[in-house]
Coordinates of all heavy atoms in Angstrom, one line a residue:
M137 N -18.4 4.9 -17.5 CA -17.6 3.8 -17.0 C -17.8 2.6 -18.0 O -18.9 2.3 -18.5 CB -18.1 3.3 -15.6 CG -17.1 2.5 -14.9 SD -17.7 2.1 -13.2 CE -17.3 3.7 -12.4
A138 N -16.7 2.0 -18.3 CA -16.7 0.9 -19.4 C -17.6 -0.2 -18.9 O -17.5 -0.7 -17.8 CB -15.3 0.4 -19.6
G139 N -18.4 -0.7 -19.8 CA -19.2 -1.9 -19.6 C -20.4 -1.7 -18.8 O -21.1 -2.6 -18.5
R140 N -20.7 -0.5 -18.4 CA -21.9 -0.2 -17.5 C -23.2 -0.7 -18.2 O -24.0 -1.2 -17.5 CB -22.0 1.3 -17.2 CG -21.5 1.7 -15.9 CD -22.0 1.0 -14.7 NE -21.0 0.9 -13.7 CZ -20.9 0.0 -12.7 NH1 -21.8 -0.9 -12.6 NH2 -19.9 0.0 -11.9
A141 N -23.3 -0.4 -19.4 CA -24.5 -0.8 -20.1 C -24.8 -2.3 -20.0 O -25.9 -2.8 -19.8 CB -24.5 -0.3 -21.6
D142 N -23.7 -3.1 -20.2 CA -23.8 -4.5 -20.1 C -24.3 -5.0 -18.7 O -24.9 -6.0 -18.6 CB -22.5 -5.2 -20.5 CG -22.1 -4.9 -21.9 OD1 -23.1 -4.7 -22.7 OD2 -20.9 -5.0 -22.2
L143 N -23.9 -4.2 -17.7 CA -24.2 -4.7 -16.4 C -25.7 -4.7 -16.1 O -26.2 -5.2 -15.1 CB -23.5 -3.8 -15.3 CG -21.9 -3.9 -15.4 CD1 -21.3 -3.1 -14.3 CD2 -21.5 -5.3 -15.4
T144 N -26.5 -4.0 -16.9 CA -27.9 -4.0 -16.7 C -28.6 -5.0 -17.6 O -29.8 -5.0 -17.6 CB -28.5 -2.6 -16.9 OG1 -28.1 -2.2 -18.2 CG2 -27.9 -1.5 -16.0
S145 N -27.9 -5.7 -18.3 CA -28.5 -6.7 -19.2 C -29.2 -7.8 -18.5 O -28.9 -8.1 -17.3 CB -27.4 -7.3 -20.1 OG -26.7 -8.3 -19.4
Y146 N -30.2 -8.4 -19.1 CA -31.0 -9.4 -18.5 C -30.1 -10.6 -18.1 O -30.3 -11.1 -17.0 CB -32.0 -9.9 -19.6 CG -32.9 -11.0 -19.1 CD1 -33.8 -10.8 -18.1 CD2 -32.7 -12.3 -19.6 CE1 -34.6 -11.8 -17.6 CE2 -33.5 -13.4 -19.2 CZ -34.4 -13.1 -18.1 OH -35.2 -14.1 -17.7
A147 N -29.2 -11.0 -18.9 CA -28.3 -12.1 -18.5 C -27.5 -11.8 -17.3 O -27.4 -12.7 -16.4 CB -27.3 -12.4 -19.7
Y148 N -27.1 -10.6 -17.1 CA -26.3 -10.2 -16.0 C -27.2 -10.2 -14.7 O -26.8 -10.7 -13.7 CB -25.6 -8.8 -16.1 CG -24.9 -8.4 -14.9 CD1 -23.6 -8.9 -14.7 CD2 -25.4 -7.5 -14.0 CE1 -22.9 -8.5 -13.6 CE2 -24.7 -7.2 -12.9 CZ -23.4 -7.7 -12.7 OH -22.7 -7.3 -11.5
R149 N -28.4 -9.6 -14.8 CA -29.3 -9.6 -13.7 C -29.6 -11.0 -13.2 O -29.8 -11.2 -12.0 CB -30.5 -8.7 -14.0 CG -30.2 -7.2 -13.9 CD -31.4 -6.4 -14.2 NE -31.7 -6.4 -15.6 CZ -32.9 -6.5 -16.1 NH1 -34.0 -6.6 -15.3 NH2 -33.1 -6.5 -17.4
K150 N -29.9 -11.9 -14.2 CA -30.2 -13.2 -13.8 C -29.1 -13.9 -13.1 O -29.3 -14.6 -12.1 CB -30.5 -14.0 -15.1 CG -31.9 -14.7 -15.1 CD -32.3 -15.3 -16.4 CE -31.5 -16.5 -16.8 NZ -32.0 -17.2 -18.0
L151 N -27.9 -13.7 -13.6 CA -26.7 -14.3 -13.0 C -26.5 -13.7 -11.6 O -26.1 -14.5 -10.7 CB -25.5 -14.0 -13.9 CG -24.2 -14.7 -13.6 CD1 -24.4 -16.2 -13.7 CD2 -23.1 -14.3 -14.5
R152 N -26.6 -12.4 -11.5 CA -26.5 -11.8 -10.2 C -27.4 -12.4 -9.2 O -27.0 -12.7 -8.0 CB -26.7 -10.3 -10.3 CG -26.5 -9.6 -9.0 CD -26.6 -8.1 -9.1 NE -28.0 -7.7 -9.5 CZ -28.4 -6.5 -9.8 NH1 -27.5 -5.5 -9.7 NH2 -29.6 -6.2 -10.1
A153 N -28.7 -12.5 -9.5 CA -29.7 -13.1 -8.6 C -29.3 -14.5 -8.2 O -29.4 -14.9 -7.0 CB -31.0 -13.1 -9.3
R154 N -28.7 -15.3 -9.1 CA -28.3 -16.6 -8.8 C -27.2 -16.7 -7.9 O -27.1 -17.4 -6.9 CB -28.0 -17.4 -10.2 CG -28.2 -18.8 -10.1 CD -27.8 -19.5 -11.4 NE -26.4 -19.7 -11.4 CZ -25.7 -20.0 -12.5 NH1 -26.3 -20.0 -13.7 NH2 -24.4 -20.2 -12.5
I155 N -26.2 -15.8 -8.2 CA -25.0 -15.8 -7.3 C -25.3 -15.3 -5.9 O -24.9 -15.9 -4.9 CB -23.9 -15.0 -8.0 CG1 -23.4 -15.7 -9.3 CG2 -22.7 -14.8 -7.0 CD1 -22.4 -14.8 -10.1
L156 N -26.1 -14.3 -5.8 CA -26.4 -13.7 -4.5 C -27.3 -14.6 -3.7 O -27.3 -14.6 -2.5 CB -27.1 -12.3 -4.7 CG -26.1 -11.2 -5.1 CD1 -26.9 -9.9 -5.3 CD2 -24.9 -11.0 -4.2
A157 N -28.1 -15.5 -4.4 CA -28.9 -16.5 -3.7 C -28.0 -17.5 -3.1 O -28.4 -18.1 -2.1 CB -29.9 -17.1 -4.7
E158 N -26.9 -17.8 -3.7 CA -26.0 -18.8 -3.2 C -25.2 -18.3 -2.0 O -25.0 -18.9 -1.0 CB -25.0 -19.3 -4.3 CG -25.6 -20.4 -5.2 CD -24.7 -20.7 -6.3 OE1 -23.5 -20.6 -6.2 OE2 -25.3 -21.2 -7.4
S159 N -24.7 -17.1 -2.2 CA -23.9 -16.5 -1.2 C -23.9 -15.0 -1.4 O -23.7 -14.5 -2.5 CB -22.5 -17.0 -1.2 OG -21.7 -16.1 -0.3
N160 N -24.2 -14.2 -0.3 CA -24.1 -12.8 -0.4 C -23.0 -12.2 0.6 O -23.1 -11.1 1.0 CB -25.5 -12.1 -0.2 CG -26.0 -12.4 1.2 OD1 -25.4 -12.9 2.1 ND2 -27.2 -11.9 1.4
V161 N -22.1 -13.1 0.9 CA -21.0 -12.6 1.8 C -20.0 -11.8 0.9 O -19.4 -12.3 0.0 CB -20.3 -13.9 2.4 CG1 -19.0 -13.4 3.2 CG2 -21.2 -14.6 3.3
C162 N -19.8 -10.6 1.4 CA -19.0 -9.6 0.6 C -17.5 -10.0 0.6 O -17.0 -10.4 1.7 CB -19.2 -8.3 1.3 SG -18.1 -7.0 0.6
L163 N -17.0 -10.0 -0.5 CA -15.6 -10.4 -0.7 C -14.6 -9.4 -0.1 O -13.5 -9.7 0.3 CB -15.3 -10.5 -2.2 CG -14.3 -11.6 -2.5 CD1 -14.8 -13.0 -2.1 CD2 -14.0 -11.6 -4.0
M164 N -15.1 -8.1 0.1 CA -14.2 -7.1 0.6 C -14.2 -7.1 2.2 O -13.1 -7.1 2.7 CB -14.7 -5.7 0.2 CG -14.4 -5.4 -1.3 SD -12.6 -5.0 -1.5 CE -12.5 -3.4 -0.8
C165 N -15.3 -7.2 2.8 CA -15.3 -7.1 4.3 C -15.7 -8.4 5.0 O -15.6 -8.5 6.2 CB -16.2 -5.9 4.7 SG -18.0 -6.3 4.5
G166 N -16.2 -9.4 4.2 CA -16.5 -10.7 4.8 C -17.8 -10.7 5.5 O -18.1 -11.7 6.2
H167 N -18.6 -9.7 5.4 CA -20.0 -9.7 6.0 C -21.0 -10.1 5.0 O -20.8 -9.8 3.8 CB -20.3 -8.3 6.6 CG -19.3 -8.0 7.7 ND1 -18.8 -6.7 7.8 CD2 -18.8 -8.7 8.8 CE1 -18.0 -6.7 8.9 NE2 -18.0 -7.9 9.5
P168 N -22.2 -10.6 5.4 CA -23.2 -10.9 4.5 C -24.0 -9.7 4.1 O -23.7 -8.6 4.6 CB -24.1 -11.9 5.3 CG -23.9 -11.6 6.7 CD -22.4 -11.1 6.8
G169 N -25.0 -9.8 3.2 CA -25.9 -8.7 2.9 C -25.4 -7.9 1.6 O -25.9 -6.8 1.4
S170 N -24.6 -8.5 0.8 CA -24.2 -7.8 -0.4 C -25.4 -7.7 -1.3 O -26.2 -8.6 -1.4 CB -23.1 -8.6 -1.1 OG -22.0 -8.8 -0.3
Q171 N -25.4 -6.5 -2.0 CA -26.5 -6.3 -3.0 C -25.9 -6.3 -4.4 O -26.7 -6.2 -5.4 CB -27.2 -5.0 -2.7 CG -27.5 -4.7 -1.3 CD -26.3 -4.0 -0.6 OE1 -25.2 -3.8 -1.2 NE2 -26.5 -3.5 0.6
A172 N -24.6 -6.3 -4.5 CA -24.0 -6.1 -5.9 C -23.0 -7.2 -6.1 O -22.6 -7.9 -5.2 CB -23.4 -4.7 -6.0
L173 N -22.5 -7.2 -7.3 CA -21.4 -8.1 -7.7 C -20.3 -7.3 -8.3 O -20.5 -6.2 -8.8 CB -21.8 -9.1 -8.8 CG -22.9 -10.2 -8.4 CD1 -23.1 -11.1 -9.6 CD2 -22.4 -11.0 -7.2
D174 N -19.1 -7.8 -8.2 CA -18.0 -7.2 -8.9 C -17.2 -8.2 -9.6 O -17.1 -9.4 -9.2 CB -17.1 -6.4 -7.9 CG -16.3 -5.4 -8.7 OD1 -16.7 -4.9 -9.8 OD2 -15.2 -5.1 -8.2
H175 N -16.5 -7.8 -10.7 CA -15.7 -8.7 -11.4 C -14.3 -8.8 -10.6 O -13.7 -7.8 -10.3 CB -15.4 -8.2 -12.8 CG -16.7 -8.3 -13.7 ND1 -17.5 -7.2 -13.9 CD2 -17.2 -9.4 -14.3 CE1 -18.5 -7.6 -14.7 NE2 -18.4 -8.9 -14.9
I176 N -13.9 -10.1 -10.5 CA -12.6 -10.3 -9.8 C -11.5 -9.8 -10.7 O -10.6 -9.1 -10.3 CB -12.5 -11.8 -9.4 CG1 -13.5 -12.1 -8.4 CG2 -11.1 -12.1 -8.9 CD1 -13.7 -13.6 -8.1
H177 N -11.5 -10.3 -12.0 CA -10.6 -9.8 -13.0 C -11.3 -8.8 -13.9 O -12.4 -9.2 -14.5 CB -10.0 -10.9 -13.8 CG -9.3 -11.9 -12.9 ND1 -8.0 -11.6 -12.4 CD2 -9.6 -13.1 -12.5 CE1 -7.6 -12.7 -11.7 NE2 -8.6 -13.6 -11.7
A178 N -10.9 -7.6 -13.9 CA -11.6 -6.5 -14.7 C -11.8 -7.0 -16.1 O -11.0 -7.5 -16.8 CB -10.8 -5.3 -14.7
V179 N -13.1 -6.7 -16.5 CA -13.4 -7.1 -17.9 C -12.6 -6.3 -18.9 O -12.2 -6.9 -19.9 CB -14.9 -6.8 -18.2 CG1 -15.3 -7.0 -19.6 CG2 -15.8 -7.6 -17.2
S180 N -12.2 -5.1 -18.6 CA -11.3 -4.3 -19.4 C -10.0 -4.9 -19.6 O -9.2 -4.6 -20.4 CB -11.3 -2.9 -18.9 OG -10.7 -2.9 -17.6
R181 N -9.6 -5.8 -18.6 CA -8.3 -6.5 -18.7 C -8.4 -7.9 -19.1 O -7.6 -8.8 -18.8 CB -7.6 -6.4 -17.4 CG -7.3 -5.0 -17.0 CD -6.3 -4.9 -15.8 NE -6.2 -3.5 -15.3 CZ -5.5 -3.2 -14.3 NH1 -4.8 -4.2 -13.6 NH2 -5.4 -2.0 -13.8
G182 N -9.6 -8.3 -19.7 CA -9.7 -9.6 -20.2 C -10.5 -10.6 -19.3 O -10.6 -11.8 -19.7
G183 N -11.0 -10.1 -18.2 CA -11.8 -11.0 -17.4 C -13.1 -11.3 -18.0 O -13.7 -10.5 -18.8
A184 N -13.6 -12.5 -17.7 CA -14.9 -12.9 -18.3 C -16.1 -12.1 -17.7 O -16.1 -12.0 -16.5 CB -15.1 -14.4 -18.1
E185 N -16.9 -11.6 -18.5 CA -18.0 -10.7 -18.0 C -19.1 -11.5 -17.3 O -19.6 -11.0 -16.3 CB -18.5 -9.9 -19.1 CG -19.5 -8.9 -18.5 CD -19.8 -7.7 -19.5 OE1 -19.4 -7.9 -20.7 OE2 -20.3 -6.7 -19.0
L186 N -19.5 -12.6 -17.9 CA -20.7 -13.3 -17.3 C -20.3 -14.7 -16.8 O -21.1 -15.6 -16.8 CB -21.8 -13.4 -18.4 CG -22.4 -12.1 -18.8 CD1 -23.4 -12.3 -20.0 CD2 -23.1 -11.5 -17.7
D187 N -19.1 -14.8 -16.3 CA -18.6 -16.1 -15.7 C -18.8 -16.0 -14.2 O -18.2 -15.1 -13.5 CB -17.1 -16.2 -16.1 CG -16.6 -17.5 -15.5 OD1 -17.3 -18.2 -14.7 OD2 -15.4 -17.9 -15.9
P188 N -19.6 -16.9 -13.6 CA -19.8 -16.9 -12.2 C -18.5 -16.9 -11.4 O -18.4 -16.4 -10.3 CB -20.7 -18.1 -11.9 CG -21.2 -18.5 -13.2 CD -20.3 -18.0 -14.3
D189 N -17.5 -17.6 -11.9 CA -16.2 -17.7 -11.3 C -15.5 -16.4 -11.2 O -14.5 -16.2 -10.5 CB -15.3 -18.7 -11.9 CG -15.8 -20.1 -11.7 OD1 -16.6 -20.3 -10.7 OD2 -15.5 -21.0 -12.5
N190 N -15.9 -15.4 -12.1 CA -15.2 -14.1 -12.1 C -16.0 -13.1 -11.4 O -15.7 -11.9 -11.5 CB -14.9 -13.7 -13.6 CG -13.9 -12.6 -13.7 OD1 -13.0 -12.5 -12.9 ND2 -14.2 -11.7 -14.6
L191 N -17.1 -13.5 -10.8 CA -18.0 -12.5 -10.1 C -18.1 -12.8 -8.6 O -18.2 -14.0 -8.2 CB -19.4 -12.6 -10.7 CG -19.5 -11.9 -12.1 CD1 -20.7 -12.4 -12.8 CD2 -19.5 -10.4 -12.0
A192 N -18.0 -11.8 -7.8 CA -18.0 -12.0 -6.4 C -19.0 -11.0 -5.8 O -19.1 -9.8 -6.2 CB -16.6 -11.8 -5.8
P193 N -19.7 -11.4 -4.7 CA -20.6 -10.5 -4.0 C -19.8 -9.3 -3.4 O -18.8 -9.6 -2.8 CB -21.3 -11.4 -3.0 CG -21.0 -12.8 -3.4 CD -19.7 -12.7 -4.1
I194 N -20.4 -8.2 -3.4 CA -19.8 -7.0 -2.8 C -20.9 -6.1 -2.3 O -22.0 -6.0 -2.9 CB -18.8 -6.3 -3.7 CG1 -17.9 -5.3 -3.0 CG2 -19.5 -5.7 -4.9 CD1 -16.7 -4.8 -3.8
H195 N -20.6 -5.3 -1.3 CA -21.6 -4.3 -0.9 C -21.6 -3.1 -1.8 O -20.6 -2.5 -2.1 CB -21.3 -3.8 0.6 CG -21.6 -4.9 1.6 ND1 -20.6 -5.5 2.3 CD2 -22.7 -5.5 1.9 CE1 -21.1 -6.4 3.1 NE2 -22.4 -6.5 2.9
G196 N -22.8 -2.8 -2.3 CA -22.9 -1.7 -3.3 C -23.3 -0.4 -2.6 O -22.9 -0.1 -1.5
V197 N -24.2 0.3 -3.3 CA -24.5 1.7 -2.8 C -25.2 1.7 -1.5 O -25.1 2.7 -0.7 CB -25.4 2.4 -3.9 CG1 -24.6 2.8 -5.1 CG2 -26.6 1.6 -4.2
E198 N -25.8 0.6 -1.1 CA -26.5 0.6 0.2 C -25.6 0.3 1.4 O -25.9 0.6 2.5 CB -27.6 -0.5 0.2 CG -28.8 -0.1 -0.7 CD -29.7 -1.3 -1.0 OE1 -30.2 -1.9 0.0 OE2 -29.8 -1.6 -2.2
G199 N -24.4 -0.2 1.0 CA -23.4 -0.4 2.1 C -23.6 -1.7 2.9 O -24.6 -2.4 2.7
C200 N -22.7 -1.9 3.8 CA -22.7 -3.1 4.6 C -23.5 -2.9 5.8 O -23.3 -1.9 6.5 CB -21.3 -3.5 5.0 SG -21.2 -4.9 6.2
P201 N -24.5 -3.8 6.1 CA -25.3 -3.6 7.3 C -24.5 -3.8 8.6 O -25.0 -3.4 9.7 CB -26.5 -4.6 7.2 CG -25.9 -5.6 6.2 CD -24.9 -4.9 5.3
V202 N -23.4 -4.5 8.5 CA -22.6 -4.8 9.7 C -21.6 -3.8 10.0 O -21.5 -3.2 11.1 CB -22.0 -6.2 9.6 CG1 -21.2 -6.6 10.8 CG2 -23.0 -7.3 9.3
C203 N -20.7 -3.5 9.0 CA -19.6 -2.5 9.3 C -19.8 -1.2 8.7 O -19.0 -0.3 8.8 CB -18.2 -3.1 8.9 SG -18.1 -3.3 7.1
L204 N -20.9 -1.1 7.9 CA -21.4 0.2 7.3 C -20.4 0.7 6.2 O -20.6 1.8 5.7 CB -21.6 1.3 8.4 CG -22.5 0.9 9.5 CD1 -22.6 2.1 10.5 CD2 -23.9 0.5 9.0
R205 N -19.5 -0.1 5.8 CA -18.6 0.3 4.7 C -19.4 0.2 3.4 O -20.2 -0.7 3.2 CB -17.4 -0.6 4.6 CG -16.4 -0.3 5.7 CD -15.2 -1.3 5.7 NE -14.5 -1.3 4.4 CZ -13.6 -2.2 4.1 NH1 -13.3 -3.1 4.9 NH2 -13.0 -2.1 2.9
K206 N -19.0 1.0 2.4 CA -19.5 0.9 1.1 C -18.4 0.3 0.3 O -17.6 1.0 -0.3 CB -20.0 2.2 0.5 CG -21.2 2.7 1.3 CD -21.9 3.9 0.7 CE -23.2 4.1 1.4 NZ -23.7 5.4 1.2
C207 N -18.3 -1.0 0.3 CA -17.1 -1.7 -0.1 C -16.8 -1.5 -1.6 O -15.7 -1.3 -2.0 CB -17.3 -3.2 0.1 SG -17.5 -3.6 1.9
N208 N -17.8 -1.4 -2.4 CA -17.6 -1.1 -3.8 C -17.0 0.3 -4.0 O -16.2 0.5 -4.9 CB -18.9 -1.3 -4.6 CG -18.6 -1.7 -6.1 OD1 -17.5 -2.0 -6.4 ND2 -19.7 -1.9 -6.8
N209 N -17.4 1.2 -3.2 CA -16.8 2.6 -3.2 C -15.4 2.6 -2.7 O -14.5 3.2 -3.3 CB -17.7 3.5 -2.3 CG -18.7 4.3 -3.1 OD1 -19.0 4.0 -4.2 ND2 -19.3 5.3 -2.5
D210 N -15.2 1.9 -1.6 CA -13.8 1.8 -1.0 C -12.9 1.2 -2.0 O -11.7 1.6 -2.1 CB -13.8 0.9 0.2 CG -14.6 1.6 1.4 OD1 -15.0 2.7 1.2 OD2 -14.7 0.9 2.4
K211 N -13.3 0.3 -2.8 CA -12.5 -0.4 -3.8 C -12.0 0.6 -4.9 O -10.9 0.4 -5.4 CB -13.3 -1.6 -4.4 CG -12.4 -2.4 -5.3 CD -13.4 -3.5 -5.9 CE -14.3 -2.9 -7.0 NZ -13.7 -2.5 -8.2
G212 N -12.9 1.5 -5.2 CA -12.6 2.5 -6.2 C -12.5 1.8 -7.6 O -13.2 0.9 -7.9
N213 N -11.6 2.3 -8.4 CA -11.5 1.8 -9.7 C -10.5 0.6 -9.9 O -10.3 0.1 -11.0 CB -11.0 2.9 -10.7 CG -12.1 4.0 -10.9 OD1 -13.2 3.6 -10.9 ND2 -11.7 5.2 -11.0
R214 N -10.0 0.2 -8.8 CA -9.0 -0.9 -8.9 C -9.8 -2.2 -9.1 O -10.9 -2.4 -8.6 CB -8.3 -1.1 -7.6 CG -7.3 0.0 -7.3 CD -6.7 -0.1 -5.9 NE -7.8 0.1 -4.9 CZ -7.6 -0.1 -3.6 NH1 -6.4 -0.3 -3.1 NH2 -8.6 0.1 -2.8
P215 N -9.2 -3.1 -9.9 CA -9.9 -4.4 -10.1 C -9.8 -5.2 -8.8 O -8.9 -5.1 -8.0 CB -9.0 -5.1 -11.2 CG -7.8 -4.3 -11.3 CD -8.0 -3.0 -10.7
L216 N -10.8 -6.0 -8.6 CA -11.0 -6.7 -7.3 C -9.8 -7.7 -7.1 O -9.3 -7.9 -6.0 CB -12.3 -7.6 -7.4 CG -12.9 -8.0 -6.1 CD1 -13.1 -6.8 -5.1 CD2 -14.3 -8.5 -6.4
S217 N -9.2 -8.2 -8.2 CA -8.1 -9.1 -8.0 C -6.9 -8.4 -7.4 O -6.1 -9.0 -6.6 CB -7.6 -9.6 -9.4 OG -7.4 -8.6 -10.3
E218 N -6.8 -7.1 -7.6 CA -5.7 -6.3 -7.0 C -6.0 -6.0 -5.5 O -5.2 -6.1 -4.7 CB -5.5 -5.0 -7.7 CG -4.2 -4.8 -8.4 CD -4.2 -3.6 -9.4 OE1 -4.5 -2.5 -8.9 OE2 -3.9 -3.8 -10.6
V219 N -7.3 -5.6 -5.3 CA -7.7 -5.3 -4.0 C -7.6 -6.5 -3.1 O -7.2 -6.5 -1.9 CB -9.1 -4.7 -4.0 CG1 -9.6 -4.4 -2.6 CG2 -9.2 -3.5 -4.8
L220 N -8.0 -7.7 -3.6 CA -8.0 -8.9 -2.8 C -6.6 -9.3 -2.4 O -6.4 -9.9 -1.3 CB -8.7 -10.0 -3.6 CG -10.2 -9.9 -3.7 CD1 -10.7 -11.1 -4.4 CD2 -10.8 -9.9 -2.3
R221 N -5.6 -9.0 -3.2 CA -4.3 -9.3 -2.8 C -3.9 -8.5 -1.5 O -3.2 -9.0 -0.7 CB -3.3 -9.0 -3.9 CG -2.3 -10.1 -4.2 CD -1.5 -9.8 -5.4 NE -2.3 -9.7 -6.6 CZ -2.0 -8.9 -7.7 NH1 -1.1 -8.0 -7.6 NH2 -2.8 -9.0 -8.7
L222 N -4.5 -7.3 -1.4 CA -4.3 -6.5 -0.2 C -5.0 -7.0 1.0 O -4.5 -7.0 2.1 CB -4.7 -5.1 -0.5 CG -4.0 -4.4 -1.7 CD1 -4.6 -3.0 -1.8 CD2 -2.5 -4.3 -1.5
V223 N -6.2 -7.5 0.8 CA -7.1 -7.9 1.9 C -6.9 -9.3 2.3 O -7.3 -9.7 3.4 CB -8.6 -7.6 1.7 CG1 -8.8 -6.1 1.6 CG2 -9.1 -8.3 0.5
T224 N -6.3 -10.2 1.5 CA -6.2 -11.6 1.8 C -5.2 -11.8 3.0 O -5.1 -12.8 3.6 CB -5.8 -12.5 0.7 OG1 -4.8 -11.8 -0.1 CG2 -7.0 -12.9 -0.2
S225 N -4.5 -10.7 3.3 CA -3.6 -10.8 4.5 C -4.4 -10.8 5.8 O -3.9 -11.3 6.8 CB -2.5 -9.7 4.5 OG -3.2 -8.5 4.4
R226 N -5.6 -10.3 5.7 CA -6.4 -10.5 6.9 C -7.4 -11.6 6.7 O -7.5 -12.1 5.6 CB -7.2 -9.2 7.3 CG -7.1 -8.0 6.6 CD -8.0 -7.0 7.2 NE -9.4 -7.0 6.8 CZ -10.0 -6.1 6.0 NH1 -9.3 -5.1 5.6 NH2 -11.2 -6.2 5.6
D227 N -8.2 -11.9 7.7 CA -9.2 -13.0 7.6 C -10.5 -12.4 7.1 O -11.5 -12.6 7.6 CB -9.4 -13.6 9.0 CG -8.2 -14.4 9.4 OD1 -7.5 -14.9 8.5 OD2 -8.0 -14.6 10.6
W228 N -10.4 -11.9 5.9 CA -11.6 -11.3 5.3 C -12.6 -12.4 5.0 O -13.8 -12.1 4.9 CB -11.2 -10.6 4.0 CG -10.6 -11.5 3.0 CD1 -9.3 -11.7 2.8 CD2 -11.2 -12.3 2.0 NE1 -9.1 -12.6 1.8 CE2 -10.2 -13.0 1.3 CE3 -12.6 -12.5 1.6 CZ2 -10.5 -13.8 0.2 CZ3 -12.9 -13.3 0.6 CH2 -11.8 -14.0 -0.1
Y229 N -12.2 -13.6 4.8 CA -13.1 -14.7 4.4 C -13.7 -15.4 5.6 O -14.5 -16.3 5.5 CB -12.4 -15.7 3.5 CG -11.1 -16.3 4.2 CD1 -11.2 -17.3 5.1 CD2 -9.9 -15.7 3.8 CE1 -10.0 -17.7 5.7 CE2 -8.7 -16.2 4.4 CZ -8.8 -17.2 5.4 OH -7.7 -17.6 6.0
A230 N -13.3 -15.0 6.8 CA -13.7 -15.8 8.0 C -15.1 -15.5 8.4 O -15.8 -16.2 9.1 CB -12.8 -15.4 9.2
G231 N -15.7 -14.4 7.9 CA -17.1 -14.0 8.2 C -17.2 -13.5 9.6 O -16.3 -13.4 10.3
P232 N -18.5 -13.2 10.0 CA -18.7 -12.6 11.3 C -18.5 -13.6 12.4 O -18.6 -14.8 12.2 CB -20.2 -12.3 11.2 CG -20.8 -12.9 10.0 CD -19.6 -13.4 9.1
Ligands
LIG545 ZN1 -18.6 -5.4 2.3
LIG546 ZN1 -19.0 -5.3 6.3

């Protein structure tokens, strides 16, 4: 997968810790407890890789403790910006 090696970089891990400390509400399902981040605009399509504004919390391999979805899996290979256009029609941001 493109850019995977960069995702384990020190800078990325530091940024991830900072962003998740501020908010771990998943952008896909609106529940807290995210363990991962995803790029809103795909890096392969020109999105900034280490820009906090381009990174959003998402449930990773451990899944959501509330709705049990594996949001990053559900999203598949689509960029988050595309998926969000689909989910913004519901109150995904309203939280629990
Ligand atoms: Zn989620
Ligand atoms: Zn959830």
